Amino acid sequence: MITESDLRQTLIELADLAPDRCDTFQARRPAAPATRSRHALAAVAGALVAAAVVVAIAIGSPAGHSPHTHRSPAGHGTASSAGSISPQARATLTAIVRADAAANGDPDAPADAVLTTYQGLEHNNRRYFTMLVATFATQKRPVAAPADPLWVVQLRGTFGDGNTVMTTFVDGTTMRELAGTAGSDPPGAAERQLAMLGPVVHLR
Amino acid sequence: LTYVIRERRTDVTFESFMTEYQRPLLRFAAALTSDARLAEDIVADVLGRTYERWARVSSVENPLAYVRRMVVNEFMSRKRREKRWAVSPVDDGRIGTGPDHASAHADREALKARLADLPQRQRAAIVLRYYEDLPDGEIAAVLGCATGTVRSLISRALSTLRVSDSDGGSSVPTPNAPSSARIDEGSR
């Protein structure tokens, strides 16, 4: 005989499954193949930051980079193509770099810069922007730090089902696979979006 | 943090709301979904939207109730999209449905399996009643239906779950399930 008390207890047991918070990227990563080590993740993050710095330098170069487009197919741009990035990508990268700087100094600046940039993006670009920043932030600082809930929510909340996108991205999935993972997007949409952010994406 | 939201009617900032209610909302979502990862995704999504609408959310009488309703809506919405998204359940060994030599434990495992098979609205009604200890009226508000419908949903769900109502009223709080009741008081 199952009683209401049993039902309550069962629901409590289910509730106990809940994580303590909307946790960090690593904590919620699906069981990854053994070949995908933390070292690989760290390398990705390091490359990402390095790319951001490179691009930021390019953006800030007095020589100026005219917005001529020489984007390679499917976003396989290189860091040297920084001059071709769109205004959105520029803003993205600038925000990342600011976050990087702020991570070493002003703890409030990252959220400020990132949110400002985020809010200026079109809806479709937000997910990918978020993906990049979350990837960066996960490696640079404890994303789910209780003292910084806003940061967490803003990064994670925009993902929705796109959470998988971030995971596969950091794991080194190809952009075509990424496009498929993006779910409802039509074929190529993710590639186009990511191509806009080519200099960073390339450094997976 | 520099982004402190200015509320219209309450003193609750988004940050403080997050700090206080994130965990209870996650637990609620886990009870709703039986899936820690899905619960986390749902709550993250909902809190993200909550942030974007914070001026409005914080101006309602009970922000937690508002957000909880968002969680339920997101849960039901995701269930509808389940085939498309094919969310993988967390396999942590605690929600298995295999046989167990202890009959009480086995009963609860079977109960979990039957809970997982309930239609979304029935599941939501059950969790709101037996986990959150909400009265019919509040459950109706969350589900957007009449109180009679709530009673019907719960009755059908209990029948499916094969739960006897012999051990007391359905809204009697249990010592271990005070989360939202306590929270509601704190948020007002």
Side-chain angles (χ1 to χ4, degrees):
Chain A
M1 176 73 72
I2 297 173
T3 66
E4 288 187 0
S5 294
D6 293 328
L7 175 57
R8 291 178 190 279
Q9 185 58 40
T10 299
L11 292 173
I12 290 169
E13 287 178 15
L14 292 174
D16 287 342
L17 295 174
D20 289 336
R21 55 181 181 256
C22 294
D23 220 330
T24 60
F25 162 64
Q26 283 91 346
R28 68 177 314 286
R29 273 182 90 205
T35 53
R36 292 168 183 172
S37 66
R38 287 192 173 191
H39 292 298
L41 284 173
V44 168
L48 194 62
V49 174
V53 172
V54 166
V55 174
I57 292 171
I59 291 170
S61 168
H65 290 267
S66 60
H68 60 283
T69 300
H70 53 90
R71 180 191 305 155
S72 57
H76 290 280
T78 67
S80 62
S81 69
S84 68
I85 64 173
S86 69
Q88 289 95 333
R90 178 175 303 205
T92 298
L93 297 168
T94 302
I96 291 173
V97 173
R98 282 182 190 164
D100 185 28
N104 297 316
D106 179 3
D108 292 332
D112 191 11
V114 170
L115 287 175
T116 300
T117 304
Y118 174 85
Q119 287 160 354
L121 293 176
E122 293 177 5
H123 178 74
N124 284 342
N125 294 336
R126 290 183 173 185
R127 178 163 49 181
Y128 299 99
F129 169 72
T130 305
M131 174 177 68
L132 290 171
V133 177
T135 301
F136 163 81
T138 302
Q139 301 298 328
K140 290 298 291 183
R141 49 189 283 163
V143 178
D148 204 357
L150 181 67
W151 175 267
V152 182
V153 165
Q154 193 59 40
L155 294 180
R156 293 291 318 285
T158 52
F159 271 96
D161 298 296
N163 271 318
T164 309
V165 173
M166 178 176 72
T167 304
T168 51
F169 170 76
V170 175
D171 280 348
T173 305
T174 68
M175 268 185 277
R176 190 164 296 282
E177 290 170 323
L178 187 65
T181 313
S184 61
D185 288 345
E191 290 184 45
R192 285 195 297 275
Q193 298 295 336
L194 290 171
M196 187 185 76
L197 303 171
V200 170
V201 172
H202 177 72
L203 293 174
R204 282 177 294 127
Chain B
L1 205 64
T2 54
Y3 270 70
V4 176
I5 309 301
R6 304 299 176 198
E7 306 75 16
R8 291 173 182 168
R9 282 197 242 159
T10 74
D11 294 331
V12 181
T13 63
F14 178 78
E15 187 177 5
S16 64
F17 181 87
M18 267 284 296
T19 302
E20 187 166 4
Y21 298 135
Q22 181 178 196
R23 173 70 175 156
L25 286 168
L26 282 166
R27 288 180 57 81
F28 171 62
L32 207 53
T33 62
S34 304
D35 184 330
R37 188 184 304 163
L38 178 57
E40 186 184 351
D41 276 354
I42 286 175
V43 172
D45 258 10
V46 165
L47 289 177
R49 290 204 302 276
T50 299
Y51 166 71
E52 291 175 345
R53 306 173 189 171
W54 183 245
R56 189 169 74 198
V57 174
S58 64
S59 70
V60 303
E61 183 179 355
N62 186 344
L64 175 62
Y66 188 98
V67 175
R68 188 162 49 210
R69 180 173 182 171
M70 291 172 70
V71 169
V72 171
N73 288 341
E74 180 66 21
F75 162 67
M76 293 201 282
S77 167
R78 287 196 182 218
K79 290 292 275 187
R80 284 193 291 271
R81 298 184 318 226
E82 203 168 47
K83 287 182 182 175
R84 262 207 305 149
W85 293 111
V87 174
S88 303
V90 172
D91 180 13
D92 65 356
R94 287 186 290 178
I95 55 175
T97 56
D100 192 288
H101 295 298
S103 61
H105 180 72
D107 281 348
R108 281 223 280 274
E109 292 306 305
L111 181 56
K112 287 174 185 173
R114 289 197 290 273
L115 271 167
D117 288 338
L118 283 179
Q120 304 98 290
R121 279 163 66 83
Q122 289 184 29
R123 173 75 181 256
I126 285 290
V127 174
L128 290 164
R129 163 61 53 79
Y130 292 99
Y131 179 73
E132 295 285 7
D133 290 313
L134 296 184
D136 288 347
E138 288 187 40
I139 296 174
V142 171
L143 297 180
C145 63
T147 54
T149 305
V150 169
R151 285 193 283 271
S152 172
L153 287 170
I154 290 175
S155 174
R156 277 182 281 151
L158 290 178
S159 174
T160 302
L161 297 172
R162 299 172 213 164
V163 170
S164 161
D165 61 358
S166 61
D167 63 342
S170 57
S171 61
V172 177
T174 60
N176 291 325
S179 56
S180 65
R182 179 163 31 84
I183 288 158
D184 281 343
E185 289 169 11
S187 66
R188 286 176 184 137

